[in-house]
């Protein structure tokens, strides 16, 4: 007697449930922008990039709370079409910031490598809207 389909239904249901659960977060904080930027999460830290033509800011939240960036720095790379710009972000009032003249457009790719004392370097990737 051929019973393989009867065995496949419970297996498919179990795999679907585990795939659904893998996409859920087990922590309570939101990943919404608080400063009008774009947010990505890397290892339980939210990185919010606020990019404007005259300044770029990076806000960090660790488990939903502002992270200490007083001793941190970040290297920023912006890619707009074939144009590449780089800058160093330094602490400025609870965030990391660089001033300058930045060429930005919807779809600009940004990569930041953040260095904080006592933590491994973290890389966050953004696509500007």
């Amino acid at each position: 007697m051929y019973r393989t389909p009867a065995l496949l239904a419970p297996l498919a249901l179990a795999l679907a449930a585990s795939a659904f659960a893998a996409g859920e977060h087990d922590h309570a904080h939101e990943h919404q922008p608080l400063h009008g930027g774009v947010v990505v999460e890397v290892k339980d830290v939210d990185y919010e990039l606020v990019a404007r033509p005259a300044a770029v800011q990076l806000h960090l939240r660790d488990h939903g709370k502002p992270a200490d960036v007083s001793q941190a720095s970040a290297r920023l790379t912006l890619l707009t079409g074939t144009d590449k710009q780089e800058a160093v972000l330094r602490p400025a009032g609870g965030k990391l910031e660089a001033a300058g003249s930045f060429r930005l457009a919807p779809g600009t790719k940004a990569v930041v490598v953040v260095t904080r004392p006592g933590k491994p370097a973290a890389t966050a990737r953004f696509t500007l809207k």
Side-chain angles (χ1 to χ4, degrees):
M1 187 186 234
Y2 183 71
R3 294 185 184 200
T4 303
L7 295 175
L8 288 179
L11 178 62
L13 182 60
L15 289 174
S18 65
F20 177 76
E24 291 182 19
H25 292 304
D26 62 352
H27 47 272
H29 68 275
E30 293 293 320
H31 303 287
Q32 300 299 318
L34 300 180
H35 306 280
V38 179
V39 177
V40 299
E41 181 187 25
V42 178
K43 297 185 181 179
D44 290 329
V45 176
D46 288 346
Y47 296 85
E48 181 177 355
L49 185 71
V50 180
R52 296 191 175 95
V56 175
Q57 301 173 341
L58 185 66
H59 301 266
L60 281 68
R61 292 187 304 272
D62 191 350
H63 290 89
K65 298 178 184 174
D68 179 15
V69 295
S70 62
Q71 301 295 313
S73 67
R75 295 201 48 78
L76 167 73
T77 303
L78 292 170
L79 302 170
T80 306
T82 59
D83 187 37
K84 178 180 177 180
Q85 289 183 281
E86 294 183 333
V88 175
L89 284 71
R90 304 256 183 237
K95 63 187 171 295
L96 298 173
E97 185 173 50
S101 178
F102 300 101
R103 292 174 297 280
L104 306 168
T108 293
K109 306 283 187 210
V111 178
V112 292
V113 178
V114 180
T115 305
R116 296 191 294 162
K119 307 271 185 188
T123 302
R125 292 172 172 76
F126 304 86
T127 301
L128 302 183
K129 297 177 182 179

